[in-house]
Amino acid sequence: MTTFKAYFKKEFIEGIRQYKYIALATGIILFSILDPIMLKLLPTFVSNKIPANLIHKLFEFKTKDALANYIKDLFQIGTLFVIFTAAGSINEEIYSQKIVFPLTKGASKSQIVMAKFLHFLVAVCFFLFVGLFLNRYYANLLFEGQKIAISDTILVYFLLCIYYLFVISITLLFSSFTKKNISAGILACAASFSTALLSQFEKLKKFSPYNLILLTNSVDLQDAKIAMLITVFLTLIFLVTTISRFNNLELN
């Protein structure tokens, strides 16, 4: 437990020093504000190119359209920020020899991995919470129609947090197998975005972590039950594999 606390604190300090929190906030929070504003201004941008009678039909956005657009950007862009922020977590420890001293003092590799995982999970979930409620505020302020309820926002938040369990764990897994951050990031992106392709098949969709993203539109936890269980199971498998890989590495 001492190792876990020490590394969790270390990750927090490095997150500040290396501007990791700024990167995560940019990828998650920025679009929560920009998306509703851009959707609101979109009819104005195209007013010179499209007849006025068509603008209201083509660009009649509701509050939930702003939320859906934000979630789409979270998956497409926010995920990139999360992955490339976490991509060097383990390989930098190994190949820069940072890990040697803690290990000589009896540090536990499994607790080091778990500290890194939980650190990123807490950070991502915090910024998701801020981002979703900012998006809710601006969407309700700028658009007409049924307002986004706090309960719906919390359910969406829960589904997104479960999804990012998968993203962070697979990023750490590839970080333990590669020497360069960019390699780990590319592999993690490929794996994460491939879940969207899996969701194109109706019979496989409910087993895909990406189904959690799709179900944020309906906000029904019953429909998401299988996807949540699969995502948590995959997360555990990835973490166990990462710890096993970390334990078997020979450090010079």
PDB file of all heavy atoms in Angstrom, residues 39-51:
ATOM      1  N   LEU A  39     -22.572  25.150 -32.654  1.00  0.00           N
ATOM      2  CA  LEU A  39     -23.864  24.723 -33.203  1.00  0.00           C
ATOM      3  C   LEU A  39     -24.837  25.896 -33.275  1.00  0.00           C
ATOM      4  O   LEU A  39     -25.601  26.026 -34.234  1.00  0.00           O
ATOM      5  CB  LEU A  39     -24.461  23.607 -32.337  1.00  0.00           C
ATOM      6  CG  LEU A  39     -23.899  22.199 -32.520  1.00  0.00           C
ATOM      7  CD1 LEU A  39     -24.623  21.228 -31.603  1.00  0.00           C
ATOM      8  CD2 LEU A  39     -24.021  21.725 -33.967  1.00  0.00           C
ATOM      9  N   LYS A  40     -24.812  26.746 -32.271  1.00  0.00           N
ATOM     10  CA  LYS A  40     -25.706  27.902 -32.244  1.00  0.00           C
ATOM     11  C   LYS A  40     -25.367  28.883 -33.359  1.00  0.00           C
ATOM     12  O   LYS A  40     -26.270  29.495 -33.973  1.00  0.00           O
ATOM     13  CB  LYS A  40     -25.590  28.606 -30.881  1.00  0.00           C
ATOM     14  CG  LYS A  40     -26.582  29.737 -30.685  1.00  0.00           C
ATOM     15  CD  LYS A  40     -28.009  29.218 -30.622  1.00  0.00           C
ATOM     16  CE  LYS A  40     -29.001  30.327 -30.337  1.00  0.00           C
ATOM     17  NZ  LYS A  40     -30.396  29.825 -30.266  1.00  0.00           N
ATOM     18  N   LEU A  41     -24.073  29.032 -33.641  1.00  0.00           N
ATOM     19  CA  LEU A  41     -23.634  29.999 -34.649  1.00  0.00           C
ATOM     20  C   LEU A  41     -23.624  29.425 -36.064  1.00  0.00           C
ATOM     21  O   LEU A  41     -23.477  30.186 -37.034  1.00  0.00           O
ATOM     22  CB  LEU A  41     -22.234  30.512 -34.308  1.00  0.00           C
ATOM     23  CG  LEU A  41     -22.109  31.337 -33.026  1.00  0.00           C
ATOM     24  CD1 LEU A  41     -20.647  31.697 -32.778  1.00  0.00           C
ATOM     25  CD2 LEU A  41     -22.961  32.596 -33.101  1.00  0.00           C
ATOM     26  N   LEU A  42     -23.758  28.109 -36.198  1.00  0.00           N
ATOM     27  CA  LEU A  42     -23.666  27.480 -37.516  1.00  0.00           C
ATOM     28  C   LEU A  42     -24.647  28.052 -38.536  1.00  0.00           C
ATOM     29  O   LEU A  42     -24.250  28.319 -39.687  1.00  0.00           O
ATOM     30  CB  LEU A  42     -23.855  25.967 -37.383  1.00  0.00           C
ATOM     31  CG  LEU A  42     -23.653  25.139 -38.654  1.00  0.00           C
ATOM     32  CD1 LEU A  42     -22.252  25.351 -39.233  1.00  0.00           C
ATOM     33  CD2 LEU A  42     -23.890  23.651 -38.367  1.00  0.00           C
ATOM     34  N   PRO A  43     -25.926  28.249 -38.194  1.00  0.00           N
ATOM     35  CA  PRO A  43     -26.836  28.851 -39.190  1.00  0.00           C
ATOM     36  C   PRO A  43     -26.371  30.217 -39.690  1.00  0.00           C
ATOM     37  O   PRO A  43     -26.570  30.556 -40.859  1.00  0.00           O
ATOM     38  CB  PRO A  43     -28.160  28.968 -38.416  1.00  0.00           C
ATOM     39  CG  PRO A  43     -28.077  27.919 -37.365  1.00  0.00           C
ATOM     40  CD  PRO A  43     -26.634  27.881 -36.961  1.00  0.00           C
ATOM     41  N   THR A  44     -25.732  30.987 -38.805  1.00  0.00           N
ATOM     42  CA  THR A  44     -25.220  32.304 -39.209  1.00  0.00           C
ATOM     43  C   THR A  44     -24.073  32.165 -40.200  1.00  0.00           C
ATOM     44  O   THR A  44     -23.970  32.931 -41.167  1.00  0.00           O
ATOM     45  CB  THR A  44     -24.742  33.087 -37.972  1.00  0.00           C
ATOM     46  OG1 THR A  44     -25.807  33.163 -37.024  1.00  0.00           O
ATOM     47  CG2 THR A  44     -24.287  34.483 -38.349  1.00  0.00           C
ATOM     48  N   PHE A  45     -23.227  31.167 -39.966  1.00  0.00           N
ATOM     49  CA  PHE A  45     -22.075  30.951 -40.850  1.00  0.00           C
ATOM     50  C   PHE A  45     -22.490  30.585 -42.270  1.00  0.00           C
ATOM     51  O   PHE A  45     -21.810  30.938 -43.235  1.00  0.00           O
ATOM     52  CB  PHE A  45     -21.179  29.849 -40.293  1.00  0.00           C
ATOM     53  CG  PHE A  45     -20.494  30.217 -39.008  1.00  0.00           C
ATOM     54  CD1 PHE A  45     -20.140  29.235 -38.092  1.00  0.00           C
ATOM     55  CD2 PHE A  45     -20.202  31.529 -38.701  1.00  0.00           C
ATOM     56  CE1 PHE A  45     -19.505  29.567 -36.901  1.00  0.00           C
ATOM     57  CE2 PHE A  45     -19.564  31.882 -37.517  1.00  0.00           C
ATOM     58  CZ  PHE A  45     -19.222  30.898 -36.607  1.00  0.00           C
ATOM     59  N   VAL A  46     -23.616  29.867 -42.400  1.00  0.00           N
ATOM     60  CA  VAL A  46     -24.022  29.383 -43.727  1.00  0.00           C
ATOM     61  C   VAL A  46     -25.181  30.202 -44.314  1.00  0.00           C
ATOM     62  O   VAL A  46     -25.728  29.837 -45.353  1.00  0.00           O
ATOM     63  CB  VAL A  46     -24.420  27.891 -43.666  1.00  0.00           C
ATOM     64  CG1 VAL A  46     -23.248  27.041 -43.204  1.00  0.00           C
ATOM     65  CG2 VAL A  46     -25.629  27.683 -42.759  1.00  0.00           C
ATOM     66  N   SER A  47     -25.545  31.266 -43.661  1.00  0.00           N
ATOM     67  CA  SER A  47     -26.719  32.035 -44.089  1.00  0.00           C
ATOM     68  C   SER A  47     -26.567  32.633 -45.487  1.00  0.00           C
ATOM     69  O   SER A  47     -27.557  32.851 -46.191  1.00  0.00           O
ATOM     70  CB  SER A  47     -27.013  33.160 -43.076  1.00  0.00           C
ATOM     71  OG  SER A  47     -25.893  34.033 -42.976  1.00  0.00           O
ATOM     72  N   ASN A  48     -25.330  32.902 -45.902  1.00  0.00           N
ATOM     73  CA  ASN A  48     -25.094  33.486 -47.229  1.00  0.00           C
ATOM     74  C   ASN A  48     -25.090  32.448 -48.344  1.00  0.00           C
ATOM     75  O   ASN A  48     -25.098  32.805 -49.523  1.00  0.00           O
ATOM     76  CB  ASN A  48     -23.752  34.234 -47.245  1.00  0.00           C
ATOM     77  CG  ASN A  48     -23.773  35.453 -46.343  1.00  0.00           C
ATOM     78  OD1 ASN A  48     -24.825  36.055 -46.141  1.00  0.00           O
ATOM     79  ND2 ASN A  48     -22.618  35.797 -45.792  1.00  0.00           N
ATOM     80  N   LYS A  49     -25.055  31.158 -47.963  1.00  0.00           N
ATOM     81  CA  LYS A  49     -24.960  30.100 -48.967  1.00  0.00           C
ATOM     82  C   LYS A  49     -26.226  29.265 -49.089  1.00  0.00           C
ATOM     83  O   LYS A  49     -26.406  28.544 -50.073  1.00  0.00           O
ATOM     84  CB  LYS A  49     -23.782  29.187 -48.616  1.00  0.00           C
ATOM     85  CG  LYS A  49     -22.434  29.911 -48.602  1.00  0.00           C
ATOM     86  CD  LYS A  49     -21.300  28.965 -48.253  1.00  0.00           C
ATOM     87  CE  LYS A  49     -19.964  29.704 -48.237  1.00  0.00           C
ATOM     88  NZ  LYS A  49     -18.823  28.805 -47.889  1.00  0.00           N
ATOM     89  N   ILE A  50     -27.086  29.334 -48.097  1.00  0.00           N
ATOM     90  CA  ILE A  50     -28.296  28.521 -48.089  1.00  0.00           C
ATOM     91  C   ILE A  50     -29.504  29.445 -47.923  1.00  0.00           C
ATOM     92  O   ILE A  50     -29.474  30.366 -47.102  1.00  0.00           O
ATOM     93  CB  ILE A  50     -28.263  27.486 -46.941  1.00  0.00           C
ATOM     94  CG1 ILE A  50     -27.088  26.529 -47.136  1.00  0.00           C
ATOM     95  CG2 ILE A  50     -29.569  26.697 -46.864  1.00  0.00           C
ATOM     96  CD1 ILE A  50     -26.945  25.512 -46.018  1.00  0.00           C
ATOM     97  N   PRO A  51     -30.568  29.206 -48.698  1.00  0.00           N
ATOM     98  CA  PRO A  51     -31.786  30.034 -48.570  1.00  0.00           C
ATOM     99  C   PRO A  51     -32.304  30.035 -47.139  1.00  0.00           C
ATOM    100  O   PRO A  51     -32.238  29.025 -46.433  1.00  0.00           O
ATOM    101  CB  PRO A  51     -32.774  29.348 -49.521  1.00  0.00           C
ATOM    102  CG  PRO A  51     -31.905  28.650 -50.522  1.00  0.00           C
ATOM    103  CD  PRO A  51     -30.688  28.219 -49.770  1.00  0.00           C
TER     104      PRO A  51
END
